[in-house]
Amino acid sequence: MSTHKETSKPSLPRFEEAEPLGPQDAVFVQELVAVLERHGNLERFGLCLLHDHFPLAEGEILAETTDAETRTLHTRVEKVNRTKHSKPTQWRFLPGVDHSRRVEFADDPYEVVLVCDPYSGCPPQK
């Protein structure tokens, strides 16, 4: 996995300051739903509120695991070059940025925000 310098991306608002979806976003959401539907991705992708709780250093990524018994989702910071989590689950679009934290997406204008390891309980095994 490759990383880019923190200065190459705009900062995110803190969670408390991030504005959630509201009535003013109705047209945007309708257009987004139409694009997802047109490409057969309505059941595959959705939206998340981009925000920061704390900064990530260069070479770090958020990794998620689940505990099916307690029905909890856990997110923690891991070193990109040491994580065993391999499946991206959240992306951030970055205008003007030609690379991401993941080598296989190096030419795309997005950054992988969160990864998961499908073999370590994320998603939980049935």
PDB file of all heavy atoms in Angstrom, residues 89-116:
ATOM      1  N   THR A  89     -13.339  -0.550   2.304  1.00  0.00           N
ATOM      2  CA  THR A  89     -14.783  -0.438   2.530  1.00  0.00           C
ATOM      3  C   THR A  89     -15.276   1.002   2.495  1.00  0.00           C
ATOM      4  O   THR A  89     -16.476   1.235   2.434  1.00  0.00           O
ATOM      5  CB  THR A  89     -15.185  -1.056   3.882  1.00  0.00           C
ATOM      6  OG1 THR A  89     -14.487  -0.390   4.928  1.00  0.00           O
ATOM      7  CG2 THR A  89     -14.883  -2.549   3.919  1.00  0.00           C
ATOM      8  N   GLN A  90     -14.368   1.963   2.558  1.00  0.00           N
ATOM      9  CA  GLN A  90     -14.746   3.379   2.433  1.00  0.00           C
ATOM     10  C   GLN A  90     -13.674   4.100   1.643  1.00  0.00           C
ATOM     11  O   GLN A  90     -12.484   3.838   1.817  1.00  0.00           O
ATOM     12  CB  GLN A  90     -14.898   4.046   3.802  1.00  0.00           C
ATOM     13  CG  GLN A  90     -16.119   3.598   4.562  1.00  0.00           C
ATOM     14  CD  GLN A  90     -16.289   4.375   5.856  1.00  0.00           C
ATOM     15  OE1 GLN A  90     -15.724   5.446   6.051  1.00  0.00           O
ATOM     16  NE2 GLN A  90     -17.075   3.829   6.757  1.00  0.00           N
ATOM     17  N   TRP A  91     -14.122   5.014   0.785  1.00  0.00           N
ATOM     18  CA  TRP A  91     -13.229   5.789  -0.057  1.00  0.00           C
ATOM     19  C   TRP A  91     -13.569   7.261   0.082  1.00  0.00           C
ATOM     20  O   TRP A  91     -14.704   7.622   0.355  1.00  0.00           O
ATOM     21  CB  TRP A  91     -13.402   5.404  -1.528  1.00  0.00           C
ATOM     22  CG  TRP A  91     -13.168   3.966  -1.823  1.00  0.00           C
ATOM     23  CD1 TRP A  91     -12.023   3.414  -2.324  1.00  0.00           C
ATOM     24  CD2 TRP A  91     -14.074   2.869  -1.671  1.00  0.00           C
ATOM     25  NE1 TRP A  91     -12.158   2.055  -2.483  1.00  0.00           N
ATOM     26  CE2 TRP A  91     -13.424   1.697  -2.086  1.00  0.00           C
ATOM     27  CE3 TRP A  91     -15.388   2.759  -1.209  1.00  0.00           C
ATOM     28  CZ2 TRP A  91     -14.028   0.440  -2.067  1.00  0.00           C
ATOM     29  CZ3 TRP A  91     -15.988   1.513  -1.184  1.00  0.00           C
ATOM     30  CH2 TRP A  91     -15.307   0.370  -1.605  1.00  0.00           C
ATOM     31  N   ARG A  92     -12.589   8.091  -0.169  1.00  0.00           N
ATOM     32  CA  ARG A  92     -12.776   9.540  -0.158  1.00  0.00           C
ATOM     33  C   ARG A  92     -12.338  10.067  -1.521  1.00  0.00           C
ATOM     34  O   ARG A  92     -11.247   9.770  -1.987  1.00  0.00           O
ATOM     35  CB  ARG A  92     -11.912  10.154   0.941  1.00  0.00           C
ATOM     36  CG  ARG A  92     -11.925  11.652   0.955  1.00  0.00           C
ATOM     37  CD  ARG A  92     -11.001  12.167   2.028  1.00  0.00           C
ATOM     38  NE  ARG A  92     -10.970  13.623   1.993  1.00  0.00           N
ATOM     39  CZ  ARG A  92     -10.113  14.362   2.664  1.00  0.00           C
ATOM     40  NH1 ARG A  92      -9.221  13.779   3.444  1.00  0.00           N
ATOM     41  NH2 ARG A  92     -10.146  15.658   2.562  1.00  0.00           N
ATOM     42  N   PHE A  93     -13.201  10.833  -2.175  1.00  0.00           N
ATOM     43  CA  PHE A  93     -12.868  11.413  -3.466  1.00  0.00           C
ATOM     44  C   PHE A  93     -12.038  12.665  -3.259  1.00  0.00           C
ATOM     45  O   PHE A  93     -12.372  13.511  -2.432  1.00  0.00           O
ATOM     46  CB  PHE A  93     -14.143  11.740  -4.248  1.00  0.00           C
ATOM     47  CG  PHE A  93     -14.993  10.539  -4.489  1.00  0.00           C
ATOM     48  CD1 PHE A  93     -16.208  10.404  -3.845  1.00  0.00           C
ATOM     49  CD2 PHE A  93     -14.558   9.520  -5.322  1.00  0.00           C
ATOM     50  CE1 PHE A  93     -16.994   9.280  -4.047  1.00  0.00           C
ATOM     51  CE2 PHE A  93     -15.328   8.392  -5.529  1.00  0.00           C
ATOM     52  CZ  PHE A  93     -16.550   8.272  -4.895  1.00  0.00           C
ATOM     53  N   LEU A  94     -10.945  12.778  -3.991  1.00  0.00           N
ATOM     54  CA  LEU A  94     -10.015  13.893  -3.839  1.00  0.00           C
ATOM     55  C   LEU A  94      -9.777  14.554  -5.193  1.00  0.00           C
ATOM     56  O   LEU A  94      -9.039  14.027  -6.020  1.00  0.00           O
ATOM     57  CB  LEU A  94      -8.682  13.405  -3.263  1.00  0.00           C
ATOM     58  CG  LEU A  94      -8.756  12.766  -1.888  1.00  0.00           C
ATOM     59  CD1 LEU A  94      -7.423  12.122  -1.540  1.00  0.00           C
ATOM     60  CD2 LEU A  94      -9.141  13.800  -0.843  1.00  0.00           C
ATOM     61  N   PRO A  95     -10.394  15.692  -5.443  1.00  0.00           N
ATOM     62  CA  PRO A  95     -10.163  16.366  -6.723  1.00  0.00           C
ATOM     63  C   PRO A  95      -8.706  16.765  -6.876  1.00  0.00           C
ATOM     64  O   PRO A  95      -8.080  17.255  -5.943  1.00  0.00           O
ATOM     65  CB  PRO A  95     -11.068  17.599  -6.658  1.00  0.00           C
ATOM     66  CG  PRO A  95     -11.509  17.728  -5.255  1.00  0.00           C
ATOM     67  CD  PRO A  95     -11.268  16.424  -4.554  1.00  0.00           C
ATOM     68  N   GLY A  96      -8.157  16.506  -8.046  1.00  0.00           N
ATOM     69  CA  GLY A  96      -6.780  16.897  -8.326  1.00  0.00           C
ATOM     70  C   GLY A  96      -5.719  15.968  -7.769  1.00  0.00           C
ATOM     71  O   GLY A  96      -4.543  16.197  -7.952  1.00  0.00           O
ATOM     72  N   VAL A  97      -6.127  14.892  -7.072  1.00  0.00           N
ATOM     73  CA  VAL A  97      -5.153  13.948  -6.522  1.00  0.00           C
ATOM     74  C   VAL A  97      -5.180  12.700  -7.398  1.00  0.00           C
ATOM     75  O   VAL A  97      -6.230  12.113  -7.622  1.00  0.00           O
ATOM     76  CB  VAL A  97      -5.487  13.588  -5.054  1.00  0.00           C
ATOM     77  CG1 VAL A  97      -4.561  12.503  -4.538  1.00  0.00           C
ATOM     78  CG2 VAL A  97      -5.400  14.831  -4.196  1.00  0.00           C
ATOM     79  N   ASP A  98      -4.024  12.301  -7.879  1.00  0.00           N
ATOM     80  CA  ASP A  98      -3.948  11.188  -8.824  1.00  0.00           C
ATOM     81  C   ASP A  98      -3.522   9.873  -8.199  1.00  0.00           C
ATOM     82  O   ASP A  98      -3.107   8.965  -8.888  1.00  0.00           O
ATOM     83  CB  ASP A  98      -2.976  11.551  -9.948  1.00  0.00           C
ATOM     84  CG  ASP A  98      -3.483  12.714 -10.764  1.00  0.00           C
ATOM     85  OD1 ASP A  98      -4.712  12.823 -10.934  1.00  0.00           O
ATOM     86  OD2 ASP A  98      -2.658  13.517 -11.209  1.00  0.00           O
ATOM     87  N   HIS A  99      -3.564   9.778  -6.868  1.00  0.00           N
ATOM     88  CA  HIS A  99      -3.180   8.527  -6.228  1.00  0.00           C
ATOM     89  C   HIS A  99      -3.932   8.361  -4.916  1.00  0.00           C
ATOM     90  O   HIS A  99      -4.618   9.252  -4.460  1.00  0.00           O
ATOM     91  CB  HIS A  99      -1.676   8.487  -5.982  1.00  0.00           C
ATOM     92  CG  HIS A  99      -1.208   9.591  -5.079  1.00  0.00           C
ATOM     93  ND1 HIS A  99      -1.005  10.868  -5.530  1.00  0.00           N
ATOM     94  CD2 HIS A  99      -0.927   9.619  -3.781  1.00  0.00           C
ATOM     95  CE1 HIS A  99      -0.608  11.629  -4.523  1.00  0.00           C
ATOM     96  NE2 HIS A  99      -0.554  10.894  -3.457  1.00  0.00           N
ATOM     97  N   SER A 100      -3.809   7.174  -4.353  1.00  0.00           N
ATOM     98  CA  SER A 100      -4.491   6.865  -3.104  1.00  0.00           C
ATOM     99  C   SER A 100      -3.552   6.095  -2.200  1.00  0.00           C
ATOM    100  O   SER A 100      -2.397   5.862  -2.524  1.00  0.00           O
ATOM    101  CB  SER A 100      -5.747   6.036  -3.391  1.00  0.00           C
ATOM    102  OG  SER A 100      -5.388   4.713  -3.710  1.00  0.00           O
ATOM    103  N   ARG A 101      -4.057   5.677  -1.049  1.00  0.00           N
ATOM    104  CA  ARG A 101      -3.252   4.892  -0.112  1.00  0.00           C
ATOM    105  C   ARG A 101      -3.012   3.474  -0.633  1.00  0.00           C
ATOM    106  O   ARG A 101      -2.145   2.790  -0.154  1.00  0.00           O
ATOM    107  CB  ARG A 101      -3.955   4.814   1.244  1.00  0.00           C
ATOM    108  CG  ARG A 101      -4.003   6.133   1.964  1.00  0.00           C
ATOM    109  CD  ARG A 101      -4.675   5.936   3.319  1.00  0.00           C
ATOM    110  NE  ARG A 101      -4.889   7.190   3.977  1.00  0.00           N
ATOM    111  CZ  ARG A 101      -4.063   7.725   4.862  1.00  0.00           C
ATOM    112  NH1 ARG A 101      -2.966   7.110   5.189  1.00  0.00           N
ATOM    113  NH2 ARG A 101      -4.333   8.872   5.414  1.00  0.00           N
ATOM    114  N   ARG A 102      -3.781   3.032  -1.584  1.00  0.00           N
ATOM    115  CA  ARG A 102      -3.666   1.663  -2.078  1.00  0.00           C
ATOM    116  C   ARG A 102      -2.977   1.645  -3.436  1.00  0.00           C
ATOM    117  O   ARG A 102      -3.373   2.353  -4.352  1.00  0.00           O
ATOM    118  CB  ARG A 102      -5.057   1.042  -2.216  1.00  0.00           C
ATOM    119  CG  ARG A 102      -5.870   1.049  -0.926  1.00  0.00           C
ATOM    120  CD  ARG A 102      -5.667  -0.118  -0.069  1.00  0.00           C
ATOM    121  NE  ARG A 102      -5.899  -1.331  -0.836  1.00  0.00           N
ATOM    122  CZ  ARG A 102      -5.581  -2.517  -0.398  1.00  0.00           C
ATOM    123  NH1 ARG A 102      -5.036  -2.658   0.772  1.00  0.00           N
ATOM    124  NH2 ARG A 102      -5.802  -3.565  -1.127  1.00  0.00           N
ATOM    125  N   VAL A 103      -1.977   0.820  -3.603  1.00  0.00           N
ATOM    126  CA  VAL A 103      -1.197   0.758  -4.838  1.00  0.00           C
ATOM    127  C   VAL A 103      -2.082   0.422  -6.039  1.00  0.00           C
ATOM    128  O   VAL A 103      -1.955   1.009  -7.098  1.00  0.00           O
ATOM    129  CB  VAL A 103      -0.062  -0.278  -4.697  1.00  0.00           C
ATOM    130  CG1 VAL A 103       0.633  -0.492  -6.022  1.00  0.00           C
ATOM    131  CG2 VAL A 103       0.926   0.167  -3.638  1.00  0.00           C
ATOM    132  N   GLU A 104      -3.011  -0.516  -5.881  1.00  0.00           N
ATOM    133  CA  GLU A 104      -3.805  -0.929  -7.030  1.00  0.00           C
ATOM    134  C   GLU A 104      -4.745   0.163  -7.533  1.00  0.00           C
ATOM    135  O   GLU A 104      -5.274   0.068  -8.613  1.00  0.00           O
ATOM    136  CB  GLU A 104      -4.596  -2.217  -6.745  1.00  0.00           C
ATOM    137  CG  GLU A 104      -5.626  -2.099  -5.645  1.00  0.00           C
ATOM    138  CD  GLU A 104      -5.095  -2.496  -4.282  1.00  0.00           C
ATOM    139  OE1 GLU A 104      -3.891  -2.310  -4.023  1.00  0.00           O
ATOM    140  OE2 GLU A 104      -5.877  -3.000  -3.477  1.00  0.00           O
ATOM    141  N   PHE A 105      -4.959   1.213  -6.751  1.00  0.00           N
ATOM    142  CA  PHE A 105      -5.800   2.320  -7.176  1.00  0.00           C
ATOM    143  C   PHE A 105      -4.973   3.584  -7.413  1.00  0.00           C
ATOM    144  O   PHE A 105      -5.478   4.688  -7.339  1.00  0.00           O
ATOM    145  CB  PHE A 105      -6.876   2.612  -6.118  1.00  0.00           C
ATOM    146  CG  PHE A 105      -7.750   1.432  -5.820  1.00  0.00           C
ATOM    147  CD1 PHE A 105      -7.878   0.968  -4.524  1.00  0.00           C
ATOM    148  CD2 PHE A 105      -8.435   0.772  -6.824  1.00  0.00           C
ATOM    149  CE1 PHE A 105      -8.689  -0.128  -4.235  1.00  0.00           C
ATOM    150  CE2 PHE A 105      -9.241  -0.312  -6.553  1.00  0.00           C
ATOM    151  CZ  PHE A 105      -9.368  -0.767  -5.256  1.00  0.00           C
ATOM    152  N   ALA A 106      -3.709   3.419  -7.730  1.00  0.00           N
ATOM    153  CA  ALA A 106      -2.773   4.542  -7.788  1.00  0.00           C
ATOM    154  C   ALA A 106      -3.138   5.605  -8.816  1.00  0.00           C
ATOM    155  O   ALA A 106      -2.726   6.738  -8.679  1.00  0.00           O
ATOM    156  CB  ALA A 106      -1.361   4.032  -8.042  1.00  0.00           C
ATOM    157  N   ASP A 107      -3.904   5.281  -9.845  1.00  0.00           N
ATOM    158  CA  ASP A 107      -4.237   6.272 -10.869  1.00  0.00           C
ATOM    159  C   ASP A 107      -5.635   6.856 -10.705  1.00  0.00           C
ATOM    160  O   ASP A 107      -6.094   7.593 -11.564  1.00  0.00           O
ATOM    161  CB  ASP A 107      -4.092   5.652 -12.259  1.00  0.00           C
ATOM    162  CG  ASP A 107      -2.652   5.302 -12.562  1.00  0.00           C
ATOM    163  OD1 ASP A 107      -1.754   6.043 -12.119  1.00  0.00           O
ATOM    164  OD2 ASP A 107      -2.431   4.292 -13.249  1.00  0.00           O
ATOM    165  N   ASP A 108      -6.335   6.516  -9.647  1.00  0.00           N
ATOM    166  CA  ASP A 108      -7.699   6.995  -9.468  1.00  0.00           C
ATOM    167  C   ASP A 108      -7.769   8.157  -8.489  1.00  0.00           C
ATOM    168  O   ASP A 108      -6.943   8.258  -7.586  1.00  0.00           O
ATOM    169  CB  ASP A 108      -8.592   5.853  -8.983  1.00  0.00           C
ATOM    170  CG  ASP A 108      -8.773   4.785 -10.057  1.00  0.00           C
ATOM    171  OD1 ASP A 108      -8.847   5.164 -11.235  1.00  0.00           O
ATOM    172  OD2 ASP A 108      -8.832   3.604  -9.717  1.00  0.00           O
ATOM    173  N   PRO A 109      -8.746   9.044  -8.662  1.00  0.00           N
ATOM    174  CA  PRO A 109      -8.837  10.252  -7.819  1.00  0.00           C
ATOM    175  C   PRO A 109      -9.553  10.016  -6.486  1.00  0.00           C
ATOM    176  O   PRO A 109     -10.409  10.768  -6.085  1.00  0.00           O
ATOM    177  CB  PRO A 109      -9.624  11.206  -8.702  1.00  0.00           C
ATOM    178  CG  PRO A 109     -10.533  10.308  -9.464  1.00  0.00           C
ATOM    179  CD  PRO A 109      -9.734   9.047  -9.723  1.00  0.00           C
ATOM    180  N   TYR A 110      -9.204   8.933  -5.807  1.00  0.00           N
ATOM    181  CA  TYR A 110      -9.774   8.702  -4.491  1.00  0.00           C
ATOM    182  C   TYR A 110      -8.756   8.050  -3.579  1.00  0.00           C
ATOM    183  O   TYR A 110      -7.751   7.510  -4.017  1.00  0.00           O
ATOM    184  CB  TYR A 110     -11.060   7.880  -4.546  1.00  0.00           C
ATOM    185  CG  TYR A 110     -10.984   6.596  -5.331  1.00  0.00           C
ATOM    186  CD1 TYR A 110     -10.499   5.440  -4.751  1.00  0.00           C
ATOM    187  CD2 TYR A 110     -11.426   6.547  -6.640  1.00  0.00           C
ATOM    188  CE1 TYR A 110     -10.445   4.257  -5.459  1.00  0.00           C
ATOM    189  CE2 TYR A 110     -11.378   5.373  -7.361  1.00  0.00           C
ATOM    190  CZ  TYR A 110     -10.892   4.232  -6.773  1.00  0.00           C
ATOM    191  OH  TYR A 110     -10.837   3.061  -7.477  1.00  0.00           O
ATOM    192  N   GLU A 111      -9.071   8.133  -2.297  1.00  0.00           N
ATOM    193  CA  GLU A 111      -8.213   7.595  -1.261  1.00  0.00           C
ATOM    194  C   GLU A 111      -9.011   6.564  -0.475  1.00  0.00           C
ATOM    195  O   GLU A 111     -10.169   6.789  -0.148  1.00  0.00           O
ATOM    196  CB  GLU A 111      -7.795   8.734  -0.330  1.00  0.00           C
ATOM    197  CG  GLU A 111      -7.146   8.277   0.940  1.00  0.00           C
ATOM    198  CD  GLU A 111      -6.952   9.427   1.916  1.00  0.00           C
ATOM    199  OE1 GLU A 111      -7.838  10.291   2.014  1.00  0.00           O
ATOM    200  OE2 GLU A 111      -5.922   9.436   2.568  1.00  0.00           O
ATOM    201  N   VAL A 112      -8.415   5.439  -0.181  1.00  0.00           N
ATOM    202  CA  VAL A 112      -9.057   4.453   0.681  1.00  0.00           C
ATOM    203  C   VAL A 112      -8.994   4.994   2.103  1.00  0.00           C
ATOM    204  O   VAL A 112      -7.929   5.341   2.593  1.00  0.00           O
ATOM    205  CB  VAL A 112      -8.363   3.081   0.577  1.00  0.00           C
ATOM    206  CG1 VAL A 112      -8.937   2.110   1.593  1.00  0.00           C
ATOM    207  CG2 VAL A 112      -8.500   2.529  -0.833  1.00  0.00           C
ATOM    208  N   VAL A 113     -10.143   5.087   2.745  1.00  0.00           N
ATOM    209  CA  VAL A 113     -10.239   5.623   4.100  1.00  0.00           C
ATOM    210  C   VAL A 113     -10.250   4.506   5.130  1.00  0.00           C
ATOM    211  O   VAL A 113      -9.678   4.629   6.207  1.00  0.00           O
ATOM    212  CB  VAL A 113     -11.512   6.489   4.241  1.00  0.00           C
ATOM    213  CG1 VAL A 113     -11.717   6.947   5.662  1.00  0.00           C
ATOM    214  CG2 VAL A 113     -11.457   7.679   3.292  1.00  0.00           C
ATOM    215  N   LEU A 114     -10.912   3.394   4.807  1.00  0.00           N
ATOM    216  CA  LEU A 114     -11.112   2.317   5.777  1.00  0.00           C
ATOM    217  C   LEU A 114     -10.949   0.986   5.066  1.00  0.00           C
ATOM    218  O   LEU A 114     -11.433   0.812   3.951  1.00  0.00           O
ATOM    219  CB  LEU A 114     -12.516   2.435   6.379  1.00  0.00           C
ATOM    220  CG  LEU A 114     -12.910   1.522   7.521  1.00  0.00           C
ATOM    221  CD1 LEU A 114     -12.055   1.776   8.761  1.00  0.00           C
ATOM    222  CD2 LEU A 114     -14.375   1.743   7.866  1.00  0.00           C
ATOM    223  N   VAL A 115     -10.255   0.048   5.713  1.00  0.00           N
ATOM    224  CA  VAL A 115     -10.072  -1.286   5.159  1.00  0.00           C
ATOM    225  C   VAL A 115     -10.580  -2.331   6.141  1.00  0.00           C
ATOM    226  O   VAL A 115     -10.711  -2.074   7.329  1.00  0.00           O
ATOM    227  CB  VAL A 115      -8.584  -1.570   4.815  1.00  0.00           C
ATOM    228  CG1 VAL A 115      -8.113  -0.691   3.679  1.00  0.00           C
ATOM    229  CG2 VAL A 115      -7.693  -1.432   6.035  1.00  0.00           C
ATOM    230  N   CYS A 116     -10.850  -3.511   5.610  1.00  0.00           N
ATOM    231  CA  CYS A 116     -11.357  -4.604   6.421  1.00  0.00           C
ATOM    232  C   CYS A 116     -10.731  -5.894   5.921  1.00  0.00           C
ATOM    233  O   CYS A 116     -10.402  -6.015   4.751  1.00  0.00           O
ATOM    234  CB  CYS A 116     -12.875  -4.657   6.268  1.00  0.00           C
ATOM    235  SG  CYS A 116     -13.663  -5.926   7.236  1.00  0.00           S
TER     236      CYS A 116
END
